[in-house]
Amino acid sequence: MMYLLSNTVSVANAASKRSEVKKTYIFLVPDGGISSCSFDVVYTEDYSASGDNNAFKKRTRWYTANYTYASEKPKFSIGNVVHKKSNGDKIKTYSKWGHLDGLFPGGVDVCGTSKNTEKATYKKNTKNKGELAFSVSCSGATLPVKTGKATIKLGTGGK
Amino acid sequence: MMKKITIGIGCAVIMAGIIGAGAFVNAGLTPSGKFVKLREEANKESVSEDVVIKGKNTEITEAEIKDAAIFYEAQGESQEDAIEDAKEELEEYHALYSEASKKGYTVTEKEVADYVSELRKTVSEADNSEEVKVMIEAYGDEDKYWEHMKEVYMTRLVVEKYTHDLLEDFNEKYTGELETDEYNKAWDKYFNGIKEDAVNREKFKTE
């Protein structure tokens, strides 16, 4: 099996879109030290084309994280994938996640992967987007919760 | 008698005004902004290194408590509550250090120096480096801050090694998906239990 890193990979009429976010956040904490959380989140959407439409049949979440901390571990959470219209209105939240085998590099504190196989069909020229949100916080630190998301544009061009 | 009461009320109004004005000045600040302000004020005060809490194997100084309390006060706690939370946090931290030492975790000065040097680099490259740099600058001289970190990490790195291994053990046993809210709750329960046991074993007493 090949592990492909390009943003859009096409095989016959099946393809995949991918979004990756890497971040490192640091927190000064009351014990006098500095805690940190470095993470890498990858969100993918697999789809196949049929006429003017694309059927999105599978989406995956991959993540790795490393921490430094003493008495309070920073909390890193990833959420569900949400499909939204271009104006931000929610279309659907994908909350059923199943096991997915994954291969990860060594030297990470935490890693995981999961998949959702609910189907969604959109026009090829849709302006809809998929979002995978994440957050990082650290108890005792004065810095606010850090939030972000990996985003995929679900349109693939066409009329 | 009436004059004394009037003067007393007058003083109370002035004091309330001063406190109110202080609260008003702080009201518009973020917790980090408040931290910077409180930290800069604390730099002007003399620091007592007197031991105020003693455990079986560790000691907590007044300076440590005051430094830690700034974090909680900056988040809106009263000075009294901030001191209490700082004591609780430091008891856990020192108890973990005691546990780690008993289990054989150690560091060398060279190891700490290398670690702090790498940490300084991480701080400068982190995605939120700007907001953290502002907080570090509030300690005064930045180079002195990093020199001080070498002292802090002679203890903290021992704790970090221990808690890192605790996380590895926990993750090996955890059967659900990692990095979800459920996982974070389960970790908190596990880690809080370890900290509580460690604090109990240390039998802290106020000096």
Side-chain angles (χ1 to χ4, degrees):
Chain A
M1 182 181 167
M2 270 175 69
Y3 185 70
L4 297 159
L5 294 174
S6 60
N7 280 345
T8 304
V9 183
S10 296
V11 182
N13 65 341
S16 181
K17 285 197 157 208
R18 178 181 188 274
S19 173
E20 179 171 12
V21 179
K22 287 183 186 182
K23 298 269 183 194
T24 295
Y25 290 118
I26 44 177
F27 303 91
L28 263 59
V29 290
D31 65 44
I34 297 172
S35 297
S36 70
C37 173
S38 298
F39 62 89
D40 186 350
V41 172
V42 178
Y43 159 41
T44 70
E45 285 277 357
D46 290 358
Y47 65 94
S48 54
S50 174
D52 289 341
N53 295 328
N54 283 324
F56 290 85
K57 295 173 179 171
K58 187 175 92 174
R59 53 208 52 81
T60 65
R61 313 182 287 192
W62 302 67
Y63 52 88
T64 61
N66 280 299
Y67 300 98
T68 62
Y69 65 98
S71 51
E72 288 291 346
K73 185 174 85 64
K75 284 191 174 59
F76 165 61
S77 286
I78 59 163
N80 294 312
V81 166
V82 181
H83 281 187
K84 291 180 175 176
K85 291 180 182 173
S86 58
N87 64 4
D89 287 353
K90 196 186 290 182
I91 301 168
K92 185 174 170 64
T93 299
Y94 296 93
S95 54
K96 291 175 190 165
W97 295 90
H99 176 77
L100 178 68
D101 286 330
L103 215 65
F104 292 93
V108 295
D109 294 335
V110 171
C111 59
T113 177
S114 53
K115 68 177 176 185
N116 169 285
T117 52
E118 291 171 88
K119 190 179 164 187
T121 302
Y122 305 117
K123 291 279 183 196
K124 281 182 178 173
N125 63 357
T126 183
K127 300 281 185 217
N128 295 342
K129 59 192 174 181
E131 291 178 353
L132 173 61
F134 53 79
S135 68
V136 185
S137 62
C138 188
S139 175
T142 58
L143 297 174
V145 176
K146 308 293 173 194
T147 59
K149 58 200 170 194
T151 304
I152 290 176
K153 287 179 182 171
L154 298 172
T156 58
K159 292 174 189 173
Chain B
M1 180 67 180
M2 196 60 193
K3 196 176 175 185
K4 277 185 184 172
I5 291 170
T6 309
I7 291 168
I9 291 169
C11 287
V13 169
I14 291 166
M15 282 306 291
I18 292 167
I19 293 165
F24 180 75
V25 168
N26 282 331
L29 294 173
T30 61
S32 297
K34 284 181 200 164
F35 173 88
V36 168
K37 195 167 177 287
L38 291 167
R39 183 64 257 168
E40 285 171 349
E41 281 167 10
N43 294 344
K44 294 171 196 160
E45 293 170 13
S46 58
V47 181
S48 164
E49 291 295 339
D50 288 351
V51 172
V52 289
I53 297 175
K54 216 167 183 173
K56 276 169 78 179
N57 304 299
T58 59
E59 294 175 337
I60 302 171
T61 65
E62 192 181 330
E64 278 180 278
I65 294 170
K66 281 190 172 173
D67 283 350
I70 290 173
F71 285 85
Y72 298 105
E73 211 182 322
Q75 290 170 73
E77 290 188 12
S78 68
Q79 210 169 41
E80 201 178 27
D81 288 347
I83 293 281
E84 283 313 305
D85 278 348
K87 283 179 182 172
E88 196 180 311
E89 164 69 20
L90 290 169
E91 283 183 2
E92 287 179 353
Y93 173 70
H94 283 269
L96 285 171
Y97 174 71
S98 178
E99 288 293 302
S101 300
K102 275 189 266 179
K103 289 177 190 297
Y105 290 89
T106 57
V107 289
T108 63
E109 280 186 25
K110 161 97 174 57
E111 198 180 351
V112 168
D114 290 347
Y115 184 90
V116 170
S117 168
E118 193 59 35
L119 182 62
R120 191 171 182 172
K121 201 174 147 210
T122 303
V123 166
S124 68
E125 292 171 357
D127 289 277
N128 63 334
S129 70
E130 287 310 312
E131 59 184 357
V132 173
K133 273 183 193 167
V134 172
M135 292 173 73
I136 289 173
E137 280 164 13
Y139 283 85
D141 187 302
E142 201 183 329
D143 288 331
K144 276 187 188 162
Y145 173 83
W146 287 108
E147 272 308 303
H148 174 61
M149 281 296 106
K150 287 180 188 168
E151 289 169 37
V152 170
Y153 272 82
M154 285 304 290
T155 304
R156 175 147 166 141
L157 192 52
V158 173
V159 182
E160 281 192 12
K161 284 182 179 181
Y162 173 46
T163 55
H164 186 271
D165 285 351
L166 287 176
L167 180 65
E168 205 170 277
D169 289 347
F170 177 79
N171 287 345
E172 271 176 25
K173 289 170 195 155
Y174 189 76
T175 51
E177 191 182 353
L178 306 183
E179 305 301 40
T180 58
D181 287 343
E182 292 75 24
Y183 165 81
N184 283 328
K185 276 181 200 160
W187 163 258
D188 279 346
K189 194 177 170 192
Y190 168 77
F191 193 37
N192 286 341
I194 284 173
K195 288 190 283 190
E196 201 179 318
D197 289 347
V199 168
N200 287 339
R201 274 193 286 274
E202 200 60 16
K203 297 187 190 306
F204 287 104
K205 279 183 184 156
T206 305
E207 290 291 289

